[in-house]
Amino acid sequence: MRYSLALTAAALAGQAAAAPYEKRAVAATACNVTNEPIAPSQDPWYTAPYEFQNEAPGTILRVRPAPGNLTQIAGNCSAAYNILYRTTGSRYNADWAVTTLFIPQNASTNGSLLSYQIPYDSVWVDASPSYALYGGVDSDIGIALGKGYFVNVPDFEGPLASFTAGVLSGHATLDSVRAVLNGASRFGLPANTSYAMWGYSGGALASEWAAELQVQYAPELNFSGAALGGLTPNVTSVLFTIYDGVEAGLAPPAILGITNQFPEVYDYVISKLKTNGTYNATSFLATQNYTLDDNISNFALKNMSEYFVDGFADILSPLAQKVINSDGQMGYHGVPQMPLFVYKAIADEVSPINDTDALVERFCNVGVNINYQRNSIGGHAAEGTNGNAAATAWLDSIFAGTFASTANATGCTIENVAINVTSSQF
């Protein structure tokens, strides 16, 4: 899950994604209990306690050892926990979310916490990482654990699976780190633990919004850095780039995800879906039970505007535009107070490179320390692999305390690179 577009032959052929968990008996250990994981939509553990809204953001509301064999799947892991915590939605209403914390077998002496935002890009709550991880843990997580890093993996879309809702995603990411630090003694984190973020595509969306919002929402947090790959700074730009292509399946969950934080806008968008014909509400709303791969395979090459009575005019109505402006455009909610490593393919076919160029320039002009690599090889999916080694090395330098800024007077180093690790052209 290093990148958000799993454009496999199986996905494009319409085959369903693998079941998130293969049922089998597991021996009980300190964190490997006999009960098996249950989908969030069916698991009563995924509910907020009474009057949770009275707690401060980042407060741990509920915690449990992660059920099943998650530590075995991850590797290099001595324990794993699910933490349900208080956060704040896009309307600045009290909300909650869940994160999964992996404890390394041999923690680094200096204390390092990597908040790793997975691009699950779905409006189906059962696609949330805390459950989907049972279908396979990204190799980045196992590698980080092998280095002695604690790894935090939040369900940053929240209980409504609000894909592309920037403010909620940023808040939930920040509060997941708050929650882990609030439970530091319980989870064995050293007092001097440093922490950084990493995300690609949909994971970078949450990470970037967290970096923007930190100064106003969580001023006590002092991140050492954030690695952001395949950024999608403008949701409208993405829509017009993908709406009738192979990646068109990103549009239905994005439209429903960003609006479900705003009930009146959500109801309006639903009301504008066509009720009959090939492009109808039933087929569009099927995304509510789709994983990312399901979305890609079921909506590929379909014109998303055809689902709406008045086409894109409905999606971009004045009512919806307010949501897009407040929750779908990066660069307007604060200035990151941490060094950033940004990487993106120049030929990115999901989000135009110009959008990321403009975001980087905006932050450079106010002194943010940014190392920005623009890769001339590959596209959106390929860059998830091509840029991985550089992002990993940068994060390792952050945690080792050897990071040395190469920024110029404006705070930035911008370089065009030609890195080709994968055979994929896309």
Side-chain angles (χ1 to χ4, degrees), residues 116 248 395:
Y116 187 82
L395 286 163

Side-chain angles (χ1 to χ4, degrees), residues 209 212 233-235 321 324-333:
W209 278 91
E212 275 193 40
N234 186 307
V235 294
Q321 195 63 51
I324 292 169
N325 289 342
S326 67
D327 223 25
Q329 296 188 43
M330 298 176 183
Y332 296 92
H333 288 71

